[in-house]
Amino acid sequence: RSARTLGTRDMAFFEDRFPDSIAQGASGGPRFSTSEVKTSGGARSANRNWTAPLHFFNVAQAIKTNAQFALVRSFFWVVYGAFDGFRFKDYSDFKATRLDTSLTAVGGTWQLNKLYSYGSRSVVRKITKPVAGTVVIYDNSGIALSATVDTTTGLATVSGGTPVTWAGEFDVPCKFSSDSLDAKQVGPEAMFMDWGSIDIEEIRL
């Protein structure tokens, strides 16, 4: 790492969630990274740079009032711009069911996963930010097991039985993409403050 300065520390994670009223109007979703080269004959060679996508969102168009602008501005301040991570609710994908989940053994705990399947393929997504009070873990017979879930990591400690699936809600660990709050007045007498582009991106944990 580079030399540490006053106020420097490893990134922390703010376990509060970005305002739902704003996130509900966000645009965006998962993004993969693919490098592609075409030969002189037109053949395609591609490389998958990431084993799993990262999510990217823009919430600027969701801000409709000055009160909403002030809410996001306060949130921006308390996470120090792009410094701290935070929870973000992706309204297009925030629920898991027994039909699309799995758990992976990690030492004496179990990592929550969500599965995306089509045809013969299934892709595993590690869930690190489950929502408190929503997760239920089941055995192979669909019986709920006694379990404690760490909502900061997505790791579950199960007592009695072997966990196979789970159901519940989850957030995406994110950060602001920029350290700058670039707002401007819209209309006479500051009738509305517009923050042109508010980009939020997922961080890997």
Side-chain angles (χ1 to χ4, degrees):
R1 293 180 182 274
S2 59
R4 299 171 74 85
T5 58
L6 183 64
T8 302
R9 58 181 169 84
D10 291 335
M11 185 199 76
F13 197 92
F14 186 51
E15 289 293 340
D16 283 29
R17 192 157 68 190
F18 182 87
D20 287 351
S21 60
I22 312 298
Q24 193 167 16
S27 62
R31 182 187 303 172
F32 286 91
S33 174
T34 303
S35 299
E36 183 175 331
V37 175
K38 284 188 172 64
T39 68
S40 57
R44 174 180 181 263
S45 176
N47 183 64
R48 191 178 69 193
N49 299 322
W50 301 341
T51 56
L54 289 170
H55 289 69
F56 293 81
F57 306 97
N58 189 289
V59 299
Q61 298 305 312
I63 297 179
K64 304 297 185 183
T65 67
N66 279 336
Q68 290 179 317
F69 172 83
L71 186 63
V72 177
R73 180 181 58 198
S74 293
F75 194 89
F76 184 80
W77 270 81
V78 301
V79 296
Y80 310 107
F83 188 67
D84 280 344
F86 52 83
R87 289 173 173 265
F88 186 90
K89 184 173 182 177
D90 175 7
Y91 274 85
S92 71
D93 188 5
F94 67 92
K95 291 183 178 180
T97 72
R98 288 176 52 205
L99 300 178
D100 60 12
T101 57
S102 69
L103 296 103
T104 305
V106 181
T109 59
W110 298 84
Q111 178 67 59
L112 304 183
N113 302 312
K114 183 171 181 181
L115 304 178
Y116 298 83
S117 303
Y118 191 92
S120 61
R121 286 188 177 180
S122 286
V123 177
V124 177
R125 176 185 182 183
K126 182 169 72 171
I127 301 301
T128 59
K129 296 296 176 183
V131 176
T134 69
V135 176
V136 181
I137 295 177
Y138 301 92
D139 66 10
N140 195 44
S141 299
I143 297 174
L145 300 175
S146 177
T148 301
V149 179
D150 186 339
T151 58
T152 68
T153 63
L155 291 170
T157 301
V158 180
S159 55
T162 301
V164 176
T165 59
W166 65 280
E169 298 184 5
F170 59 91
D171 295 323
V172 184
C174 287
K175 63 180 270 308
F176 283 104
S177 298
S178 173
D179 275 323
S180 298
L181 192 164
D182 188 16
K184 66 179 180 180
Q185 174 183 316
V186 178
E189 299 179 3
M191 292 182 63
F192 183 67
M193 293 301 297
D194 176 57
W195 187 347
S197 180
I198 312 174
D199 295 314
I200 290 173
E201 61 186 80
E202 182 181 2
I203 52 179
R204 295 208 195 278
L205 298 177

